Amino acid sequence: MPAPSPLAEAGEGLGRFRRGDLIHRLLERLPEIAEGERAGAASRMMSRERDLSDDQRAEMIAAAMAILGDDRFAPVFGPGSRAEVAVTGSAPDLPAGVAISGRIDRLVITPDRVLVVDYKTNRPAPDRVEDADPAYVLQLATYVAVLKRLYPDHPIEAALVWTDGPRLMAVPGAMMDAALSALR
């Protein structure tokens, strides 16, 4: 018997991995669409998900639209931002011989800074960045370490976007440094 897929429905309603995947997809594609056309595009995208209830579709669309419509998130989805950016490499801040290969949910490059953003769909979202899963902080820290080599003249910042709330949480550099130190 094959193992159940983590994307399958789990327990009451939509499994958390599937929900996260679908919201990620909305946040990846909707910023490239004119603001006045996003709601219709989101509805069309979600209508293809035949196994979802109308309430599930509406909840995920509302979560994505709340983020895109919130001024706090404007820099994340504005000019200079790109979705699903591959990152591969090593860095002096990583342990010797360690290289990473990952995908950044949203990367913002401006003349003044580089911002690395990772979406999280956990519910409920933590109230403080200190309560975030340490693996999330380490993930961002490794991305930042590699990007420092590519953008040596830019400050590199990292943030978590929680779809529950929604919330935008900057991840302090000292917190990422501590996560990397724990690897050594």
Side-chain angles (χ1 to χ4, degrees):
M1 173 189 300
S5 167
L7 298 180
E9 287 195 46
E12 295 180 30
L14 189 64
R16 70 183 181 117
F17 294 110
R18 177 96 192 285
R19 179 183 179 275
D21 182 54
L22 293 171
I23 291 174
H24 272 71
R25 194 178 317 158
L26 290 169
L27 292 174
E28 175 187 347
R29 295 179 183 161
L30 292 177
E32 308 305 321
I33 297 171
E35 191 173 337
E37 298 174 20
R38 287 179 183 165
S43 292
R44 286 188 298 279
M45 286 171 53
M46 295 302 289
S47 71
R48 296 180 190 122
E49 304 300 326
R50 302 259 184 234
D51 60 327
L52 302 179
S53 71
D54 290 343
D55 287 345
Q56 289 170 323
R57 284 188 201 97
E59 183 275 327
M60 287 183 272
I61 290 170
M65 297 300 284
I67 291 168
L68 295 174
D70 190 320
D71 289 340
R72 294 174 297 168
F73 299 97
V76 174
F77 299 101
S81 69
R82 296 182 305 175
E84 298 296 319
V85 178
V87 61
T88 304
S90 62
D93 291 343
L94 297 176
V98 171
I100 66 156
S101 178
R103 189 162 298 279
I104 298 170
D105 289 337
R106 199 88 188 166
L107 181 66
V108 182
I109 302 169
T110 69
D112 301 329
R113 70 176 177 160
V114 174
L115 175 62
V116 179
V117 177
D118 198 56
Y119 310 142
K120 297 299 177 195
T121 56
N122 303 44
R123 293 187 296 181
D127 291 323
R128 305 171 328 130
V129 70
E130 294 82 8
D131 296 329
D133 186 324
Y136 298 162
V137 175
L138 180 58
Q139 175 188 8
L140 287 171
T142 59
Y143 293 163
V144 167
V146 171
L147 289 170
K148 283 180 181 178
R149 294 184 79 186
L150 298 172
Y151 299 96
D153 299 328
H154 287 69
I156 314 281
E157 300 171 10
L160 294 165
V161 169
W162 300 94
T163 61
D164 182 43
R167 292 188 179 107
L168 175 65
M169 286 184 185
V171 179
M175 195 174 190
M176 291 187 287
D177 291 344
L180 289 177
S181 292
L183 286 179
R184 293 186 202 123

